[in-house]
Amino acid sequence: MSSYSPIERIFAKFLERFPLMRAFIKYIYQRLSFLIYRQRDKIFLNARYNLIDPFKDIEGDTFFGYYDKPSLNINGDLLTHVVNNDMCKIYIRTPTGRVDYLLGTKAWNWQQGSMLTWIDTNHIAYNDIVNDMIVCCIYSLEYKKVVHQHKHAIQCYSPVSKLYASIDYKKINSLRPEYGYKNLIVNEYDKDEGIRIVDIHSGECVFNLMLSEIAAFLKLDDPIDNSKVNHCQFSPDGRLILFMYRSYRNDGKYSYLLVWDYGNSRLIKLMDNRVVSHYSWIDNNEIIVWGRGEVETGYHTVNLNGKCSFIKVKDPLLLGDGHPSVCSKSKTILTDTYPDKARMSTLFLLDGENEEKVIQLKQPWKFNSSSRVDLHPRFNYDCSLITLESGHSGYRRQYILKKAD
C-alpha cells in the first residue's frame, strides 16, 4: 500500500526529538518510496463528482490559501491569488463567469496567500505591506478601492462579532518563514506579542493576549523568543478564539491547543501532548483536531470541558495529518491528506462511519517543502461546493469540486 504503515509512523514519532535528522531522513525516504510506488495517473475522481478549473483563462498559478476560510461568498463570487514572476495579484470570478483583476499585494505566502477574507458580499480583507509595515486592508468591490487600512494584520474574522484576530507576522517570519511574508523587513519587534482582537471598523485593538501570559498559564519556562502563536479561529458565535501555542526547544517543537475566552480573560487548555497540527470548530463547544491525545496520534474530538476522544478510522490514509473542516448544516467532515508514497493527495468526506474518498491528485516533486501544494479543501456557505488547490497539472491551481448532475 502507498499509505504509511503504523511502524513507519512510530519511527517518525521517535525522530521528533531530532528535528534536523528527521527532516533529512523524511526527504530521502519519501524519494525512495516514490520510486517504488509511483504511478502514471495524475487524478482519480469519484464518478459522483466533477472537478472544474474556474480560472482556466488565467495562466500560471492560481490559489486561494488556507482551509479555514471560504473562497466563495454566499452570492457565488470566487476569490483567488494569481502569482506570476513573484508578483501576487487578487482576482474575482462572478457567477456569470466574468473574471476581474482587483488589486496586488506584497504580503503573501504559498500556504495562506494574503489571508484573503470575505467580510461581507461587498468587502474583502487582506494583508499588505505599506511603508515596511504589515497592515490589514479592507477593499470595497462597489467602489473598487481600499476603504480602510488598519495597522494590525488579519488572521481570522468573525462575521458575528465584527472582530478579527491579529498575530505578529515578524515573529512568524523568524520562527516559521513559510507562513510569514518574505517582503516584510524584520527589524525590532515585540517578541512577547501574542494575539490581538481588533474591531474591523475602527482598527482599534480591544483585547490583547501576550505570549508570557500563555506560558505562565501552561506553567512553562520557555523563552518567549522561541515561542509563537498561530492558526487562530473564532468559534461560530464569535466569543472564543481557538489557537495553537508552539515552543521550539533543543529536542524539537512542542505544540499546545488552547481556547481564549477573551471577553472573560480566561484561557482553556485542550491538548498538551506535544503534537497539535490542524483543527476546526464543530460547534461552540466542540473541536475536531489532528494531534496527540493521551495515547493515540490522529483525529480527535475535544470539548471545552477537556473531554478528548480519538476518532477511529477505517482507511489508513486517514491516520495521517490533514486539514479538517465541518459543514455547519450536516456536521459532515471534509479533510485531506498529505501526499502518500506515490505523491497522491486524497480528499475525504466523513459522515459518521462512512468514509467517502472523493478525489486523489498527484503532486509533482517541484511542489515540496515550503512551496508544497496542500489541498486545503473548503466548503462554501451551504456545503454544496468544495474549493481546493492542487498541482497535478504542473501548476498550482484552485479548483471547484461539485457533485455531478
Side-chain angles (χ1 to χ4, degrees):
M1 294 180 64
S2 59
S3 60
Y4 290 96
S5 70
I7 293 176
E8 290 167 316
R9 297 183 191 282
I10 290 171
F11 185 59
K13 178 180 177 181
F14 169 76
L15 289 175
E16 286 174 358
R17 68 193 74 178
F18 311 107
L20 294 179
M21 181 189 300
R22 183 178 188 270
F24 175 75
I25 292 175
K26 178 181 178 181
Y27 176 79
I28 298 299
Y29 191 71
Q30 286 180 336
R31 287 281 185 170
L32 292 174
S33 296
F34 178 70
L35 293 176
I36 299 171
Y37 292 94
R38 64 181 175 179
Q39 52 195 29
R40 291 184 178 180
D41 294 309
K42 295 181 179 180
I43 179 171
F44 293 98
L45 178 62
N46 187 315
R48 297 177 60 235
Y49 295 86
N50 291 325
L51 187 69
I52 302 164
D53 184 343
F55 296 100
K56 59 185 178 181
D57 293 332
I58 297 179
E59 296 181 353
D61 294 302
T62 66
F63 73 106
F64 179 72
Y66 220 37
Y67 71 100
D68 61 342
K69 301 172 178 62
S71 54
L72 282 159
N73 71 8
I74 195 170
N75 292 337
D77 298 311
L78 178 65
L79 296 171
T80 201
H81 299 89
V82 176
V83 176
N84 279 309
N85 300 320
D86 211 32
M87 297 292 293
C88 185
K89 299 177 180 180
I90 296 172
Y91 285 76
I92 186 171
R93 182 184 187 272
T94 67
T96 63
R98 192 183 77 244
V99 176
D100 294 323
Y101 165 74
L102 298 181
L103 52 98
T105 177
K106 298 178 181 177
W108 66 278
N109 59 60
W110 288 120
Q111 300 308 311
Q112 298 182 329
S114 62
M115 302 306 286
L116 195 53
T117 303
W118 284 106
I119 301 302
D120 54 42
T121 56
N122 188 48
H123 297 88
I124 59 172
Y126 66 97
N127 289 332
D128 200 357
I129 298 171
V130 178
N131 297 325
D132 296 331
M133 298 296 294
I134 182 76
V135 297
C136 169
C137 297
I138 311 297
Y139 180 90
S140 167
L141 298 177
E142 179 183 0
Y143 297 112
K144 296 181 173 56
K145 66 177 183 178
V146 173
V147 291
H148 297 290
Q149 181 178 296
H150 302 323
K151 63 181 179 181
H152 302 296
I154 188 171
Q155 179 156 92
C156 66
Y157 170 69
S158 169
V160 177
S161 64
K162 310 299 182 187
L163 300 173
Y164 73 87
S166 179
I167 64 171
D168 187 358
Y169 279 93
K170 290 185 177 181
K171 187 68 166 289
I172 299 295
N173 265 23
S174 300
L175 295 180
R176 195 73 190 276
E178 68 188 72
Y179 288 105
Y181 303 126
K182 65 180 181 180
N183 294 318
L184 181 61
I185 298 173
V186 179
N187 294 316
E188 290 298 315
Y189 61 93
D190 183 357
K191 295 180 180 180
D192 195 22
E193 185 171 331
I195 305 172
R196 295 179 186 269
I197 306 296
V198 184
D199 184 286
I200 193 69
H201 299 297
S202 69
E204 294 301 313
C205 175
V206 290
F207 299 98
N208 194 14
L209 178 66
M210 309 301 287
L211 290 175
S212 55
E213 295 179 77
I214 303 170
F217 170 76
L218 293 171
K219 298 180 171 57
L220 301 175
D221 57 3
D222 298 314
I224 57 174
D225 291 25
N226 296 327
S227 302
K228 68 179 180 70
V229 294
N230 207 353
H231 306 321
C232 299
Q233 290 185 23
F234 278 98
S235 57
D237 64 7
R239 295 187 306 104
L240 308 172
I241 284 281
L242 178 65
F243 69 96
M244 178 177 64
Y245 174 82
R246 179 168 286 172
S247 178
Y248 295 87
R249 303 171 188 166
N250 292 334
D251 60 343
K253 61 188 179 185
Y254 286 75
S255 303
Y256 304 80
L257 185 66
L258 298 105
V259 165
W260 179 27
D261 180 353
Y262 55 86
N264 294 303
S265 302
R266 184 169 68 105
L267 285 169
I268 304 168
K269 181 175 66 177
L270 299 181
M271 296 185 83
D272 64 354
N273 198 8
R274 183 165 185 163
V275 177
V276 172
S277 188
H278 304 102
Y279 41 80
S280 283
W281 290 93
I282 297 173
D283 53 36
N284 290 314
N285 185 62
E286 193 171 30
I287 293 117
I288 181 172
V289 53
W290 194 93
R292 184 170 299 152
E294 292 298 322
V295 179
E296 299 96 345
T297 302
Y299 286 109
H300 295 74
T301 57
V302 187
N303 66 31
L304 299 183
N305 295 322
K307 182 182 178 181
C308 181
S309 302
F310 179 67
I311 300 176
K312 293 182 180 180
V313 295
K314 292 175 279 190
D315 195 311
L317 287 171
L318 287 166
L319 294 171
D321 193 5
H323 304 88
S325 55
V326 181
C327 176
S328 59
K329 297 174 65 176
S330 66
K331 304 305 179 186
T332 299
I333 297 169
L334 168 68
T335 194
D336 63 345
T337 71
Y338 285 106
D340 61 14
K341 295 176 184 178
R343 297 292 296 168
M344 301 297 287
S345 301
T346 304
L347 185 147
F348 284 93
L349 285 170
L350 311 178
D351 187 3
E353 295 185 358
N354 182 45
E355 300 173 1
E356 184 178 20
K357 189 180 292 184
V358 178
I359 192 170
Q360 291 186 292
L361 298 157
K362 188 175 183 179
Q363 308 305 327
W365 268 108
K366 69 176 182 177
F367 297 124
N368 195 32
S369 188
S370 61
S371 63
R372 68 189 179 275
V373 181
D374 299 340
L375 298 187
H376 288 163
R378 303 164 289 266
F379 281 122
N380 69 333
Y381 76 99
D382 66 354
C383 308
S384 62
L385 299 173
I386 296 168
T387 63
L388 62 122
E389 266 93 58
S390 179
H392 65 278
S393 69
Y395 292 93
R396 182 189 308 263
R397 304 288 295 184
Q398 182 179 186
Y399 296 93
I400 295 176
L401 192 64
K402 63 180 295 186
K403 284 190 175 182
D405 296 329

